Amino acid sequence: MDLITESWLPVVTATRQQKKISPLALWDEDILDLAYPRPDFQNGAWQFLIGLLQTAAGPENEAAWRAVWYDGMAQDAWRQALSVVAPAMQFGPQKPAFLQSHEPLEGENSTIAGLLIDAPGGNTLKLNKDHFIKRSACQRMCPHCAAIALFTVQTNSPAGGAGYRVGMRGGGPLTTLIVPEDNTLPLWKKLWLNVMSGQPQVEQAQLPLIFPWLTATRTSERPGNSVTPDNAHALQAYWGMPRRIEIDFSATQAGNCDLCGEHSEACLREIRTKNYGVQYEGWVHPLSPHRQSIKDSAAPWLAFKGQPGGLCYKDWLGLSLQSEDKFNLTCPAAVVPAMSKRRKMPATRLWCFGFDMDNAKARCWYQHRLPLIITDEPEQVKAQAKLALELANSALSLLKKHLKAALYAAGGDATGDFSMWDLTWWQGTQAQFSLLLTAMIKDPMQAQLETSRRMAQWPTYLLQHMFMMFDGMVLSDSQDDSAILRRQLAARKKLEGEYQKLKVRKDFTELAVKPQERGNA
């Protein structure tokens, strides 16, 4: 199967019809989005097409990028661009094969479900722990689903036992893509927002350095054989292959695919795997935000990972702007500052997604649409937003402290899982912070009275929300025991008193005063 000419990508059109296209048809204005049945496949296919655009047609400069944005790409030019990378896009039993081991793999076959990150692993099956996701959930996979499943597992490759390498961003990375708020734009424009300029044209001789399956696998049994940006092409960031996988194209069966439901005369059923595949070191992926420890300037930049509960607004700043806290420097995905420099573009947001992984176990899939902070005064907005977040975080700490004092005789020494308090707090105050951030972005110098008014409301709003949570959890079920009630009321009073004394509250209140008012005072 040729992944360039085969119609294997499910899409939805402007008239809400679904069909399959090949990458050759990508510039059709009628196509609005991909249409995969699984969110990890949907997001994986977006990354596949972004990588294909960046590799085959990456623009040399911003002028070339804008020319494509306004006029699209001629079909002949696109076909010629894809012809360069076509040798790497062959999916089948003949080697080299798309994202599969260059060398034949020996060993026993395993089920095709091994291409799914959330499928139960070998140890889970051995111990009969596949309670929620059954081992028989996927026994047949059509070639179209298998191709995107293979890309998805290689891109998000989690830990899988001794020698089973994680992806170049680590297991279960967080991906951030730029998407327009106007969902009626064609798919190719949505993808093009994530293509960066400044790339020389790819030549045939460079293909083995970009697509690792075109040459002998650089295995990692011994230290010192890692793949780094120094011994590979920078574009391999889009085409990492940490897992040694070989699909058995002889073990097929006619039937309906267990994932998409479509009939295929050659559903795939088995794969072979081997450990000690490609080990990546030193990569900063253009589609993921990264962090570095402040204590060690030589420490590597590590990609953000999915986390329990997903993202909340305290994470927004580091996803759009370079930032730092007590422990880490953070930088957004490279596509974010590239987009921030472009003017007269449509309104955009950040689409963030990824697995929350516990080593090899997928606990949850999260995805969010978040504000993208684009401003001419990034340092001013960053300072304002950072102080607003510090105040929200300090308020949460006080709330948790006094909730424990009110609810438990042990007070601050009470132990347990209080993560739901955090989640409730961040979700409950997010809408108000979103309004505050929007005002800061539009008017970072507080030229408008409305901006200062909205900023001045933030400390009061947080206090009101603290009382709402406290009263709902503590005082909604009154106690007959007067001693307990006195303890609860005392905790509520201390909560307000300590909040009013917070230095960060005073600092933010001062920041909210208009500059001329500070001068008059």
Side-chain angles (χ1 to χ4, degrees), residues 143-413:
H144 294 174
C145 284
I148 195 60
L150 182 60
F151 179 87
T152 302
V153 74
Q154 295 283 24
T155 299
N156 300 289
S157 179
Y164 286 91
R165 303 304 183 191
V166 297
M168 63 174 58
R169 293 178 276 179
L174 178 70
T175 301
T176 58
L177 301 181
I178 297 167
V179 290
E181 292 186 1
D182 180 6
N183 199 41
T184 63
L185 289 177
L187 174 62
W188 74 262
K189 280 204 166 189
K190 296 171 183 173
L191 297 168
W192 194 250
L193 290 173
N194 297 278
V195 174
M196 295 185 294
S197 60
Q199 176 185 302
Q201 187 173 0
V202 170
E203 300 177 358
Q204 286 280 350
Q206 298 174 311
L207 294 185
L209 296 175
I210 299 173
F211 305 106
W213 56 93
L214 294 182
T215 188
T217 304
R218 195 180 181 105
T219 58
S220 55
E221 292 91 342
R222 293 189 295 271
N225 204 31
S226 301
V227 173
T228 70
D230 295 328
N231 59 31
H233 196 286
L235 286 171
Q236 191 170 149
Y238 295 92
W239 307 105
M241 192 184 73
R243 295 292 183 94
R244 299 172 74 182
I245 298 174
E246 186 176 42
I247 297 175
D248 190 341
F249 286 90
S250 65
T252 61
Q253 182 183 50
N256 293 338
C257 173
D258 288 334
L259 298 180
C260 68
E262 292 189 5
H263 181 82
S264 173
E265 290 298 318
C267 281
L268 300 164
R269 301 179 67 243
E270 297 178 354
I271 61 173
R272 287 181 292 275
T273 61
K274 189 173 178 58
N275 55 359
Y276 296 106
V278 178
Q279 186 169 20
Y280 290 99
E281 289 184 2
W283 291 81
V284 176
H285 197 281
L287 302 181
S288 283
H290 289 70
R291 62 166 58 95
Q292 183 191 48
S293 173
I294 287 180
K295 294 181 179 180
D296 183 7
S297 60
W301 286 89
L302 303 176
F304 281 45
K305 305 296 189 300
Q307 58 191 32
L311 298 174
C312 55
Y313 68 83
K314 64 183 175 67
D315 304 305
W316 292 358
L317 200 59
L319 298 178
S320 289
L321 300 171
Q322 288 189 348
S323 185
E324 67 178 81
D325 55 27
K326 295 179 181 178
F327 306 103
N328 296 296
L329 299 171
T330 63
C331 69
V335 294
V336 173
M339 181 63 190
S340 299
K341 296 175 184 177
R342 295 169 181 147
R343 294 295 178 261
K344 297 182 180 179
M345 288 283 104
T348 52
R349 295 179 73 81
L350 273 181
W351 182 20
C352 310
F353 50 82
F355 281 103
D356 167 26
M357 301 295 302
D358 179 13
N359 289 322
K361 181 172 65 177
R363 293 181 293 201
C364 194
W365 170 268
Y366 291 103
Q367 57 182 0
H368 312 264
R369 298 289 176 115
L370 307 178
L372 178 60
I373 303 174
I374 298 180
T375 173
D376 293 330
E377 301 287 345
E379 294 304 316
Q380 180 75 6
V381 172
K382 186 162 57 177
Q384 294 171 343
K386 186 176 180 181
L387 201 58
L389 291 172
E390 287 179 6
L391 178 56
N393 202 49
S394 296
L396 173 59
S397 297
L398 284 179
L399 176 62
K400 291 166 67 176
K401 170 186 172 182
H402 292 294
L403 277 174
K404 289 181 181 181
L407 292 172
Y408 305 104
D413 295 329

Side-chain angles (χ1 to χ4, degrees), residues 80-91:
Q80 178 61 32
L82 288 178
S83 68
V84 177
V85 300
M89 297 294 150
Q90 307 305 308
F91 182 74

Side-chain angles (χ1 to χ4, degrees), residues 470-481:
F470 186 95
D471 294 348
M473 297 174 65
V474 176
L475 300 179
S476 60
D477 184 15
S478 60
Q479 297 284 336
D480 293 333
D481 191 322

Side-chain angles (χ1 to χ4, degrees), residues 431-443:
Q432 191 71 18
F433 180 80
S434 183
L435 294 173
L436 173 63
L437 181 63
T438 300
M440 291 174 174
I441 294 172
K442 290 182 178 179
D443 182 23

Side-chain angles (χ1 to χ4, degrees), residues 66-104:
R66 284 187 173 272
V68 173
W69 172 258
Y70 288 114
D71 301 325
M73 185 175 292
Q75 187 63 29
D76 289 344
W78 178 232
R79 186 182 295 274
Q80 178 61 32
L82 288 178
S83 68
V84 177
V85 300
M89 297 294 150
Q90 307 305 308
F91 182 74
Q94 292 80 22
K95 300 293 182 76
F98 177 70
L99 278 173
Q100 294 174 71
S101 173
H102 187 271
E103 301 80 20

